[in-house]
Structures are given as structure tokens and as C-alpha cells.
Amino acid sequence: MLILAGFSQRLSYLHIFSFDLSKEFYFNFLLFSLTTLVVGYIIRVRQIKSNQRKLSFLVNKRTKLISKQKDRIDRQNKIVKQQKDQSDKLLLNVLPSYVVKELKEHGQVSIKTYENASVMFIDIVGFSKIAERINPKFLVNKLNNLFSQFDKIIEKYGLEKIKTIGDAYLTVGGLGVDFKTNPIKCVSAALEIQNLMQKKKNKSFIDKRDENWTVRIGIHTGDVITGVIGTKRIAYDIFGSTVNIAERIEANCEPGKVNISEDTYNCINMFYNCTNRGEITTKNTGDINMFFVNSLKLSFREKNNFSSNSWFNSIIESYSKLKFNFLKLKIFGIHFLKNHLSSNLYYHGPHHTLDVLQSLDQICFYEKVKPTDFFILKTAVLFHDMGYIDQYENNEIIGVKYAQKFLPEYGYSKIQIEKISELILATKVPQKPKNKLEKIICDADLDYLGREDFINISDNFFRELRENKILKSKKEWDQIQINFIEKHNYFTEFSVNNRTKLKNNHLQFIKDQYK
């Protein structure tokens, strides 16, 4: 700055009117100009940086404000979503999911009809008397705990809880989904509920409490109508004769039992041991053929308890996904055989088909047959003796024609029908199976040879042959049996291990008679 001041002074007083300037003057002038520019630049840069700092501060302040506002909005949205989820969850506890969706989209629910739905009523035996001697608050709490346990079982099997009326619990399966296996799942849930009640009874006995609750369960399968009633405190409900019949079946059930109609029985008897109660007169619904469900059949349950095994679970899961409907076909097939087979088929009647179907279960379980092949085998058994409707000899080819005629109506593909046809033909005597499935159906067809009931079945076979004028004497029949059994061999490991010994004993018995 001193240089600039000195230079300025000299410029002002010494050379202001002089045109003969020295080199020193130009040098100082240039230095002055450059210094001025540098100082100006530095000042400007500092101003820009100061403005940038101010702007950055304002931007950061604004960003923090926006971030806080965003966080507040996110928290509010989260709260709204939680409240919405709670509201939806509450609705789904009251109404089925498709009803909730339809209400949200349209504000109302259309009336729907479902075929082959299974309605189950559960009722506590003697509840009115129980209510008279128990504190009301304790009673409601105990009832709530019990029904909450029922809810878990119902949810486990994919059933739809409809409502509770006092001590009555109403649920249904097959509303829009699972129309093939819902009777099976209903019965499975019912047996599990009765098992739960038995455990509670045993615990009550051990704890020396006299408060034992027992339930009756009734199930019927048929058509139902569904809809939402009212506009305030809306209620989803089911209607129709199926509901009324299910209620009557429950009312006619014995305590601790599961009582089902014939329609339900036809859908589940392949898997469950049942007791036919015959026709029972009911109020307003006439005589109804009823059955007690006792347990799962041996092949489908665990060895040490009555719960289902993994093979049964895989069969049901697989069947629900298959396109064909074997259970519906079975009802038709047995009915068709009963109506069209001759009454003098004492061996090859519908009862033989049912017997082979049952024998098939044990062999398939032991041989670890895949679920799809299990139903293919079952289907072949339904048709393997259907040819007897038209002719006695070479009837297998007629059975194939019946299969090719009816199976497409029940969703079977061409490949599946061809496979079933080959299995039917494999049962022709003498049997010459070419693969595992053919070996299984052949052994199931002649399973009786190595069973305790062989003599009775053999006598029925002889009676059939005699009335159809194929044989005349018992001695002739014994000779045929001796020749046949001596040449016969079982093919599967199960039948070899579990039927051969007794079959040989039967052979010796016939030989002793023949002498």
C-alpha cells in the first residue's frame, strides 16, 4: 500500500503535465493496476464465499425442516396404516376375506350359492343345566377359552367359522375353495375337537374337578346359500336345507361322537372307519341315514395315536390340486355298479370293488405310492369289474370302454385314461403285470387269498359260478382253486410278507377237503 501511495503522489505532482514518462513510471503503473485487480478479486471471492455460506445455511435449515415434516407425515401414515390393518383384521375376524373385499369395492355383498359345502354344528351337552350352577362370569370365560381353541382347529383345516349362538358353534367348509376335500377336512377337524374334549375330561379327572364338558358334532354336505344380513352390525350367514339337516344330525348325535350324513359319508369313507347307524327319524327333515365317524383308517394314521400321518396329508393336499374329481366319480361308480350289475354276482358284485379299494390302501401305503398314482389306481379299481354288466368272460376290455366313456366327464386327461385302461387290463387272469402299479392292482384284486375271510369269499365265488352255469360241483371248484393258488404268486413286498403264509394255509385246507 505504501508503494501505491508513493506512486500516486509522484503521478499527481511530478509528472501530471509531463509526456516524457520514464520506464519506472510504467512499471509502477502496471504494478498498481495488477495489485488493484488482485485485491478486487480477493474481495469479490470473499463476498461470493460469504453468500455461499449464507445460502448453504438456508438450504440446510430448509432441508431439516422438510425432513422433519416428512418424518411427521411418515409417522402419521404409519399410524393410519396400523389403524387400517387393525380395522381389516377386525373385519376379517367377522367376515370372510372375499366378503370384506366385495364390501370395500361395491358397498354390498351379492348372494352366492355353493355346491358340496360341508356344514358342521358343535353343541355342548347339557349346557343349560351347567349354566344354572356356575358363576356367569366364570362360565363366559370358560366358554370363550373353549371356543378360542375351536377357532384354532377350524383355522388349521381352512374352514370358515360362521357364528356362535350361546353354546352352539357353526362352521362350514367349501365356500368357493376346496370343494373336493372340504368334507374330509371337516371330519378331521371334528375328530380333533373331540380329542381335545377327551383330553380336557382326562385332565379334569386327574385334577378331581367335576366340571366335565362334552360336545356333540353333526356334519352334512350339500348346497348352501350365503349372504350378508342387514346394514348395521352386519352378519355373514349361511342358509338352506343343508344347514337344517346338519343341525338335526348334531341333535341326534351321542355325546362325545361325530355324527355325519350319508352324503358326507360318501365323501370321506375312503379314509375313515365309520359305523352305520341306519335311518333315524328327525324333526321336520324326515328319516336320515347317519354314520358315526370312529377314526382314520390304519393306513392313514400314525402308529401310536389317531392323528393323520404324512402320507394322508400329502394325499389330501395333492388331491385338492388335481383336475379330476375321484371322490365324486367314486359315488357315481359304486351307484352305477349297484344299479347295473346282476344280483347273482356274489363275488364280483359292488362289494368286491369296495373290498379291493380298501385292500389297495394298505399296499399303496407300504409301497410308498405317489398321491397322483394312488388315485389313478383307485380309479382303475372302480372300473376293473364293470365289464361284468355286459358279459362274464373277457370283461376287462368292456371295463376299459366304460372308463373311456365316463372318465372325461370327471376331469381325467387322455394320458391318465390310457394309464387307467392298462391297469384294468392287467387284472385279467392269469395276471402278468409289467410295472409297479400293475403289480399293486393285481395284488389288491386277489388280496382275499391270504386273508382270514378267504373261506366266506371263496364260497360266494363258487355260488356265483354255479348260478351262472360255469361250474356244477364243489369238488370241481376245489380243484380249480388248488390249481390256481398253486400257480399264483403275489408281486408286491407287502403282499408277499403279509398274505403268502395264510394263502398257503388256505391251499392246504382245500387240499385236505378235496381228498
Side-chain angles (χ1 to χ4, degrees):
M1 295 302 293
L2 292 173
I3 295 172
L4 288 173
F7 177 75
S8 176
Q9 185 177 11
R10 292 175 65 185
L11 181 64
S12 301
Y13 298 104
L14 298 177
H15 304 289
I16 191 167
F17 298 109
S18 176
F19 294 97
D20 186 14
L21 302 176
S22 66
K23 292 181 180 180
E24 184 182 358
F25 170 80
Y26 287 110
F27 175 77
N28 290 332
F29 179 77
L30 181 61
L31 182 62
F32 171 79
S33 300
L34 289 173
T35 303
T36 303
L37 289 172
V38 170
V39 171
Y41 174 76
I42 292 171
I43 293 171
R44 181 59 181 164
V45 168
R46 288 181 177 178
Q47 288 177 341
I48 291 172
K49 287 185 177 180
S50 177
N51 291 336
Q52 285 178 338
R53 284 194 296 269
K54 290 179 181 179
L55 182 61
S56 177
F57 172 77
L58 292 174
V59 169
N60 289 336
K61 185 177 180 181
R62 184 63 177 170
T63 301
K64 289 179 181 179
L65 179 62
I66 293 172
S67 179
K68 288 181 180 179
Q69 291 175 340
K70 183 177 180 297
D71 290 341
R72 186 165 59 251
I73 292 171
D74 288 341
R75 286 195 299 270
Q76 290 174 344
N77 287 339
K78 189 175 181 179
I79 293 171
V80 170
K81 186 178 183 302
Q82 288 175 345
Q83 292 175 342
K84 180 179 178 296
D85 291 342
Q86 289 175 352
S87 176
D88 288 345
K89 186 177 180 180
L90 182 62
L91 272 175
L92 289 170
N93 278 334
V94 178
L95 302 170
S97 57
Y98 85 89
V99 174
V100 173
K101 183 180 179 181
E102 197 169 345
L103 276 173
K104 286 181 177 180
E105 293 177 354
H106 306 291
Q108 60 182 7
V109 179
S110 58
I111 296 172
K112 292 182 174 62
T113 301
Y114 296 99
E115 298 179 356
N116 200 48
S118 296
V119 178
M120 177 164 66
F121 271 96
I122 308 170
D123 186 65
I124 299 173
V125 179
F127 185 78
S128 298
K129 292 183 179 179
I130 294 172
E132 291 175 359
R133 65 175 185 269
I134 294 182
N135 177 276
K137 187 175 181 180
F138 175 80
L139 178 69
V140 172
N141 285 333
K142 185 171 181 177
L143 192 63
N144 177 61
N145 291 335
L146 181 64
F147 281 178
S148 295
Q149 290 177 294
F150 288 0
D151 289 343
K152 291 179 181 178
I153 295 173
I154 294 306
E155 185 178 1
K156 172 183 174 182
Y157 289 97
L159 307 177
E160 195 72 56
K161 178 183 177 181
I162 301 300
K163 60 184 175 182
T164 58
I165 309 170
D167 64 313
Y169 188 106
L170 173 61
T171 185
V172 63
L175 298 185
V177 294
D178 199 20
F179 67 94
K180 290 195 297 184
T181 60
N182 72 80
I184 299 168
K185 291 181 178 180
C186 248
V187 169
S188 294
L191 289 176
E192 189 165 331
I193 287 172
Q194 289 294 17
N195 186 47
L196 169 69
M197 298 306 295
Q198 185 61 45
K199 288 180 179 178
K200 286 181 174 293
K201 184 177 180 180
N202 295 341
K203 188 175 186 303
S204 177
F205 178 78
I206 293 172
D207 296 341
K208 296 182 179 180
R209 292 180 298 179
D210 61 350
E211 198 54 59
N212 297 320
W213 287 14
T214 308
V215 299
R216 294 186 299 256
I217 301 179
I219 304 172
H220 176 57
T221 302
D223 299 346
V224 298
I225 300 169
T226 66
V228 173
I229 306 302
T231 56
K232 292 185 178 180
R233 294 185 180 180
I234 57 176
Y236 180 77
D237 213 339
I238 57 176
F239 310 90
S241 61
T242 298
V243 181
N244 298 331
I245 293 172
E247 188 175 13
R248 295 291 178 266
I249 289 172
E250 177 272 312
N252 285 274
C253 181
E254 294 179 7
K257 296 279 191 178
V258 177
N259 195 30
I260 63 174
S261 68
E262 186 172 11
D263 289 330
T264 303
Y265 170 80
N266 288 333
C267 297
I268 64 97
N269 67 77
M270 184 169 80
F271 302 106
Y272 295 90
N273 295 312
C274 301
T275 301
N276 189 351
R277 303 180 65 196
E279 290 190 346
I280 296 177
T281 302
T282 62
K283 183 179 178 181
N284 299 328
T285 52
D287 295 341
I288 301 175
N289 199 18
M290 301 184 191
F291 298 79
F292 280 140
V293 183
N294 302 319
S295 65
L296 274 167
K297 291 182 178 179
L298 188 62
S299 300
F300 304 113
R301 68 174 190 244
E302 297 291 351
K303 289 183 179 180
N304 299 325
N305 56 57
F306 290 96
S307 61
S308 59
N309 57 30
S310 58
W311 189 57
F312 172 79
N313 295 333
S314 66
I315 285 174
I316 300 305
E317 182 180 359
S318 176
Y319 179 62
S320 65
K321 299 175 183 177
L322 293 174
K323 292 183 178 180
F324 61 78
N325 192 334
F326 170 76
L327 294 178
K328 190 174 181 180
L329 171 69
K330 183 192 171 190
I331 295 171
F332 162 78
I334 298 301
H335 187 263
F336 188 80
L337 289 171
K338 287 180 178 179
N339 288 339
H340 292 86
L341 283 175
S342 173
S343 59
N344 65 355
L345 291 176
Y346 305 108
Y347 173 78
H348 289 105
H351 58 282
H352 170 67
T353 298
L354 292 171
D355 179 70
V356 178
L357 285 171
Q358 185 167 339
S359 299
L360 198 69
D361 295 340
Q362 287 182 303
I363 302 174
C364 286
F365 172 70
Y366 192 92
E367 299 294 330
K368 296 180 173 58
V369 172
K370 295 178 181 178
T372 303
D373 289 337
F374 174 73
F375 287 106
I376 292 294
L377 281 164
K378 288 274 190 181
T379 305
V381 170
L382 273 180
F383 289 90
H384 86 290
D385 278 348
M386 199 171 281
Y388 281 97
I389 293 173
D390 298 325
Q391 63 188 46
Y392 202 89
E393 299 292 337
N394 298 318
N395 59 82
E396 291 82 9
I397 190 64
I398 306 299
V400 168
K401 291 180 179 179
Y402 277 116
Q404 292 171 344
K405 176 182 177 182
F406 293 124
L407 290 182
E409 299 176 17
Y410 292 88
Y412 288 79
S413 67
K414 288 184 178 180
I415 295 175
Q416 289 168 339
I417 294 172
E418 289 175 4
K419 195 172 185 179
I420 291 165
S421 299
E422 291 172 358
L423 289 170
I424 295 170
L425 294 174
T427 62
K428 183 178 177 63
V429 177
Q431 297 173 338
K432 297 178 181 179
K434 301 184 293 294
N435 54 52
K436 180 180 178 179
L437 296 187
E438 290 184 4
K439 290 177 181 179
I440 290 173
I441 195 172
C442 287
D443 282 358
D445 193 23
L446 296 175
D447 186 65
Y448 82 98
L449 293 176
R451 294 200 319 242
E452 296 287 349
D453 56 353
F454 167 78
I455 299 300
N456 290 333
I457 294 175
S458 173
D459 290 343
N460 287 333
F461 205 164
F462 169 64
R463 184 184 175 193
E464 177 184 309
L465 294 171
R466 185 177 59 190
E467 290 199 14
N468 283 278
K469 303 186 185 317
I470 297 172
L471 290 179
K472 294 182 179 180
S473 68
K474 183 69 165 56
K475 197 171 186 67
E476 186 180 0
W477 169 235
D478 287 342
Q479 182 61 59
I480 290 174
Q481 287 194 104
I482 291 170
N483 293 337
F484 179 79
I485 296 175
E486 283 181 337
K487 295 177 182 178
H488 173 266
N489 289 301
Y490 283 116
F491 304 103
T492 62
E493 186 177 351
F494 171 84
S495 297
V496 170
N497 294 337
N498 294 277
R499 297 290 183 260
T500 302
K501 183 178 179 180
L502 196 54
K503 183 190 75 169
N504 292 334
N505 292 343
H506 295 323
L507 174 61
Q508 188 59 48
F509 175 78
I510 297 170
K511 286 181 176 180
D512 293 341
Q513 275 193 328
Y514 186 72
K515 292 178 182 178

